[in-house]
């Protein structure tokens, strides 16, 4: 039952997530997602104002995500997330793409408005700490290990196509095509603790 509920909750962020993709022992603080594809809408909303406005996430798939959360000792032990192989596809829009720029600006504005509203509601935050706010404690000690990240950058703009030589020109393409591939392996992210 809890796997179905978890899949339902995470379904906003993961396409077609079912109980078959989830392994969990929540009381022990363990969760595993296998062979998942992220929903790009919420991801683009989350990354608005973080990524350059010309970048759009068009697809992200992950073979495995394992999370270990030591519920009984969150303040003294880190939450650990191990991410397997991630394949991300990003589309770069031309700087003159007014429609995309307007969409990106609206997403960033909405994110800022939500953050401001939350700050006003919560005041100082510490006195009003609720279970839903445990993300602050969790992210303070979050350790993430990423086995491999492959990023494919797509574009249909002629200025983003590779040059064939002096004066070469490319027509605008109807569909974006790959213009860059980036691979990163064995990445670890952890907070630096004061000495």
């Amino acid at each position: 039952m809890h796997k179905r509920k978890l899949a339902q909750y995470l379904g906003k962020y993961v396409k077609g997530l079912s109980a078959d993709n989830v392994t969990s022992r929540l009381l022990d603080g363990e969760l595993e997602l296998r062979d998942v594809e992220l929903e790009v809408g919420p991801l683009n909303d989350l990354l608005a104002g973080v990524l350059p406005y010309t970048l759009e996430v068009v697809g992200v798939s992950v073979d495995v995500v394992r999370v270990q959360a030591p519920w009984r000792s969150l303040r003294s032990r880190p939450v650990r997330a191990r991410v397997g192989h991630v394949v991300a596809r990003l589309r770069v829009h031309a700087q003159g793409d007014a429609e995309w720029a307007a969409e990106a600006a609206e997403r960033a504005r909405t994110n800022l408005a939500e953050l401001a509203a939350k700050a006003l509601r919560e005041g100082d935050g510490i006195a009003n700490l609720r279970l839903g706010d445990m993300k602050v404690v969790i992210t303070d000690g979050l350790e993430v290990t990423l086995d491999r990240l492959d990023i494919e950058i797509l574009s249909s703009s002629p200025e983003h196509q590779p040059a064939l030589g002096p004066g070469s020109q490319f027509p605008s393409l109807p569909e974006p095509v790959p213009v860059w591939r980036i691979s990163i392996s064995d990445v670890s992210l952890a907070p630096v603790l004061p000495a």
Side-chain angles (χ1 to χ4, degrees):
M1 163 112 162
H2 71 277
K3 282 175 39 170
R4 199 168 54 241
K5 258 311 197 203
L6 192 59
Q8 182 182 4
Y9 175 74
L10 292 174
K12 175 182 177 184
Y13 307 100
V14 181
K15 284 184 185 176
L17 185 64
S18 70
D20 296 336
N21 301 92
V22 178
T23 303
S24 66
R25 293 184 354 198
L26 292 181
L27 293 178
D28 293 332
E30 295 177 7
L31 171 69
E32 180 177 287
L33 303 175
R34 291 175 312 286
D35 300 320
V36 295
E37 185 175 342
L38 301 183
E39 289 284 357
V40 296
L43 193 54
N44 278 314
D45 291 345
L46 179 69
L47 295 173
V50 177
L51 284 180
Y53 79 94
T54 56
L55 286 181
E56 172 188 13
V57 177
V58 294
V60 177
S61 61
V62 184
D63 67 347
V64 67
V65 176
R66 290 184 188 95
V67 178
Q68 293 177 312
W71 299 125
R72 293 178 183 92
S73 53
L74 276 177
R75 292 200 183 272
S76 60
R77 291 181 45 214
V79 172
R80 290 189 171 95
R82 180 165 198 99
V83 182
H85 184 195
V86 178
V87 176
R89 298 183 76 205
L90 306 176
R91 179 178 179 184
V92 61
H93 291 267
Q95 286 182 327
D97 185 343
E99 184 178 331
W100 175 254
E103 287 177 33
E106 179 60 25
R107 267 195 303 281
R109 187 194 67 73
T110 301
N111 284 353
L112 285 173
E114 288 172 0
L115 285 173
K118 184 177 179 182
L120 288 173
R121 271 193 320 269
E122 295 178 2
D124 64 1
I126 300 299
N128 300 324
L129 188 64
R130 298 181 313 267
L131 183 59
D133 295 325
M134 289 303 288
K135 62 185 173 190
V136 172
V137 174
I138 290 170
T139 57
D140 278 350
L142 180 64
E143 292 179 5
V144 178
T145 303
L146 175 62
D147 292 341
R148 181 177 170 140
L149 171 62
D150 290 326
I151 302 170
E152 185 173 67
I153 299 177
L154 310 165
S155 179
S156 55
S157 298
E159 64 266 23
H160 298 145
Q161 305 301 317
L164 296 176
S168 62
Q169 296 260 327
F170 283 93
S172 201
L173 300 169
E175 292 296 318
V177 296
V179 292
W180 281 89
R181 286 194 176 92
I182 303 166
S183 290
I184 303 168
S185 297
D186 300 321
V187 177
S188 294
L189 305 169
V192 176
L193 303 174

